[in-house]
Amino acid sequence: MAKNVQAIRGMHDILPSQTPLWQLLEDRVRNVLERYGYREIRMPLVEQTELFKRSIGEVTDIVEKEMYTFDDRNGDSLTLRPEGTAGCVRAGIENGLLYNQVQRLWYQGPMFRHERPQKGRYRQFQQIGVEAFGMAGPDIDLELILITHRIWQTLGLSDGLELQINSLGTADERLVYRELLVEYLSSYLDQLDEESRRRLKGNPLRILDSKNPDMRELIAGAPALMDHLGEESQAHFDAICAGLDAVGVVYVINPRLVRGLDYYARTVFEWVTDRLGAQGTVCAGGRYDGLVEQLGGRATTAVGFAVGVERLVALLEEAGIEPEEQVDAYLVLMGDEPQRQGLLLAERLRDQLPGLRLLTHCGGGGFKSQFKKADRSGARFALILGEDELAKGVVGVKNLREQTEQQEIALDQLAEFFKKNEENGI
Ligand code: HAM
């Protein structure tokens, strides 16, 4: 037998048994975003490598070691997008969507990072991302956080998630702070691990994000950027906190929250849970006022976030949330003429009842086997059409989910039967 070709490590199929939960999540998120006036944008999965180097930053895990980069046949260096913000900004500049305008955008789709796969961390994963352009004040930061909060509410997930926020100040403020931090860390050089020593020159703020338990105390004692914010950055941050307090959204200020991408300034936030093991961040984002200009556009303020869909799906599964069944009725057809007539009946029902999810049995077979398939389909009702029923002008209707007698319903009354059931919420 030929050897199977397998999927790539860290890249998963989402099977038909799983898609209903994905669809439930996607529908609800889309609905919340529409209610806040966000519009969908779709970008390519592949971009020039340069785009990610210039936006995410050369000295970041993503650019240094996680990108799927290759030369295409022209010799251009291309990369499978590791995230959506860079591509969204590129598209916005290229299509004239940003300058002097306000944009509220969202996107959805796969992202690619060559990380070590584990539960909740994949090499191809899905994000739903939101980006808002042209609004400088804290009100839009607040709006985005409230959107995320409403998403959790509509999914029934509010309980297990904690909002952490921080301010990274402006680029200038960070420069001053960076010196203080390097000075502090340099005086404990012997306590830094190898990775942190390397980061000390290129990206010292990332050291604060280290998960190495041996460095915990050292990091806890480091000066906090929060204590070195300028007046405007402080006011911006305070206004967000005040807004969250007013709406009653609980948050934790985490001065060590620095994020793994370089484009952020001022507000950063994450939603974390302890229910998913090590990969507990289900949503992350922040303000990136400098990025549009950095990528060649005119200076435009911006803020956004992205939700990790796999992690959110895992949370829904953990919470025992099950989408409703997908099939309302399964049409069992016994004999040649019932098969021909059944097709017409099914089409008529679909004309009359646009909401009805009806599976018609195909491929023949005995009554028992068809009935088994009806049951396995998850349908609430089996509709049975054989020679006898056809002669009488009726259809046998059996509720597969309740212990009730099979009934006979006249062919022309069938649509009415389903309408009534729907009204009764069955
Ligand atoms: P990020 O923190 O790199 O930010 O990713 C956002 C979310 O994507 C994470 O919180 C996590 O839920 C999910 N995620 C990231 N990597 C993986 C992975 N390997 N497997 C599974 N899920 C993953 C961004 O990507 C920014 N573009 C967010 C943003 C938008 N900031 C402003 N606008």
Side-chain angles (χ1 to χ4, degrees), residues 119 157-164 271-282 311 314-315 318:
K119 185 173 174 280
L157 291 176
S158 312
D159 276 356
L161 289 166
E162 178 181 272
L163 170 62
Q164 300 190 353
W271 284 93
V272 295
T273 176
D274 55 12
R275 296 185 183 173
L276 295 178
Q279 304 304 320
T281 307
V282 298
R311 294 182 190 178
L315 266 189
E318 207 248 3

Side-chain angles (χ1 to χ4, degrees), residues 62 82-85 107 113 115 120-123 125-127 130-131 259 261 263-264 270 281-286 288 303-311:
I62 296 180
E83 57 103 55
T85 308
Y107 51 83
R113 295 184 195 176
E115 296 191 76
R121 188 165 69 192
Y122 309 105
R123 291 183 171 169
F125 59 97
Q126 294 269 338
Q127 281 186 349
V130 175
E131 316 289 355
R259 310 278 299 119
L261 307 96
Y263 47 62
Y264 293 107
E270 291 190 354
T281 307
V282 298
C283 169
Y288 52 97
V303 52
F305 68 81
V307 173
V309 182
E310 281 81 357
R311 294 182 190 178

